[in-house]
Amino acid sequence: MTTARSCWHMASGKAKLIRVTFPLGSIDNTAPKSLRLGHLDNLQTAKSWQAQPVWRAPADSTVPGRSFFAILKDGEAGEGDHLMAWAPVGAAEPGALVPASAILISAGKYWCYVEEKSGTFVRTEIDPSRPVADGYFVKEGISPGDKIVTAAAGQLLARETNPSTEPE
């Protein structure tokens, strides 16, 4: 997007200039290539937006960390909204995205069901320490391309933990 076009989009309300500050130590001085943004109140179910270009912003003495500016086009963010921001940093890591709709919490642990073979589902524990806008990034237990149950997983858990022994 050219500078003149960016200014026109911002003046017309079709784009917003955003400032993102990352906590100290979470990102180096290099501006990320893009940012993913989402509303704080419903991160797991709401849509998110891509913002770019990204460039360094002056330090904010009231918020410690590294600050960057970016242009958010056609997002539903309002003036003064507080958003959660994600930025790709470091080398790519192998792993898989488990959608939020697939997650079950049972006995204080996070689980999802993975289809092991046609019609056979295995409850698999996941590490919830890497939340992303649409779910969780996991490095172990689930591989990219695995089929994950995203609807009616609660019924599978109920059947597994309390199998009926009487006829229906």
Side-chain angles (χ1 to χ4, degrees):
M1 188 167 16
T2 65
T3 304
R5 185 178 216 155
S6 296
C7 290
W8 183 86
H9 278 131
M10 286 189 283
S12 67
K14 293 183 182 215
K16 292 186 174 41
L17 177 66
I18 59 168
R19 179 191 185 105
V20 177
T21 301
F22 291 95
L24 287 173
S26 64
I27 195 167
D28 63 16
N29 232 5
T30 307
K33 292 181 181 4
S34 66
L35 297 172
R36 171 100 11 226
L37 301 147
H39 283 287
L40 289 173
D41 57 349
N42 52 358
L43 289 176
Q44 299 302 328
T45 58
K47 63 180 172 179
S48 60
W49 313 282
Q50 192 81 16
Q52 56 189 115
V54 180
W55 65 97
R56 286 188 45 151
D60 181 348
S61 61
T62 62
V63 181
R66 299 271 184 234
S67 294
F68 301 93
F69 286 128
I71 296 175
L72 177 61
K73 296 186 290 184
D74 301 325
E76 295 174 8
E79 294 298 324
D81 278 359
H82 291 265
L83 305 171
M84 180 68 80
W86 294 268
V89 295
E93 294 185 48
L97 174 67
V98 178
S101 61
I103 301 298
L104 299 163
I105 301 174
S106 177
K109 296 180 180 180
Y110 286 65
W111 306 88
C112 71
Y113 280 93
V114 178
E115 187 173 30
E116 192 172 70
K117 60 182 179 178
S118 184
T120 303
F121 303 97
V122 177
R123 184 165 43 127
T124 305
E125 185 177 356
I126 68 147
D127 177 5
S129 66
R130 292 180 174 221
V132 296
D134 303 326
Y136 296 89
F137 178 77
V138 295
K139 294 174 61 171
E140 296 176 356
I142 299 172
S143 300
D146 283 354
K147 292 182 180 177
I148 298 172
V149 174
T150 59
Q155 292 175 342
L156 288 173
L157 178 64
R159 176 72 74 171
E160 179 185 357
T161 57
N162 189 18
S164 175
T165 55
E166 298 181 24
E168 294 184 13

